[in-house]
Amino acid sequence: MGRPRGRGSHRARGRRPRADLGALPPIFPAGCQIAVLHGDPAKPNADVFLRVAGGQRLPAHTHTSAERMILVSGALRVKYQGAPAVTLTPGMYAFGPAGRPHEADCQAGAACTLFIAFEGPVDAAAHPGKLD
């Protein structure tokens, strides 16, 4: 077999994620970690891993971007304003609309690692009100 040719040919390239994005917004608890997998977090279309320790809570917050998420490890209870809470387990997908307040709890035990693909720049702002 020959090598693929043409404009549509793509090769997968493996690489380790950058280890540190810098300081996370202060709304996130100490110990949360983020790694950039692709792109520039200050620009649209960045992909990241977010790691939350078992038993930690991410308080209510919003993003200016929609986010597409897949839980890689742990068990994460997620609650979006106006929707029932759901517990994600590894392999489950969730979509978060831009501007919709939400909170999350990583269940006690194993840390939660979440793959997140942002459509816009990566950001987070505290949501001062209740979710319901």
Side-chain angles (χ1 to χ4, degrees), residues 2 20 37 39 43 45 53 68 70 81 89 93 101 114 116 122:
D20 184 33
L37 301 173
K43 297 179 181 176
N45 298 314
R68 291 171 170 77
I70 297 174
Q81 188 173 55
T89 57
Y93 170 86
L114 189 63
I116 309 172
V122 177

Side-chain angles (χ1 to χ4, degrees), residues 12-107:
R13 288 180 279 166
R15 66 175 184 81
R16 295 200 181 276
R18 291 185 298 203
D20 184 33
L21 175 66
L24 289 172
I27 64 164
F28 292 110
C32 284
Q33 298 172 316
I34 193 164
V36 178
L37 301 173
H38 171 80
D40 178 344
K43 297 179 181 176
N45 298 314
D47 298 335
V48 302
F49 274 143
L50 175 65
R51 186 176 173 101
V52 180
Q56 278 192 323
R57 180 166 205 261
L58 300 177
H61 63 281
T62 60
H63 305 283
T64 57
S65 171
E67 54 183 346
R68 291 171 170 77
M69 302 163 278
I70 297 174
L71 189 68
V72 177
S73 66
L76 187 70
R77 181 192 163 277
V78 180
K79 167 75 173 115
Y80 276 85
Q81 188 173 55
V86 63
T87 298
L88 302 177
T89 57
M92 290 181 74
Y93 170 86
F95 174 79
R100 176 85 46 95
H102 58 288
E103 63 189 14
D105 294 286
C106 182
Q107 305 299 302

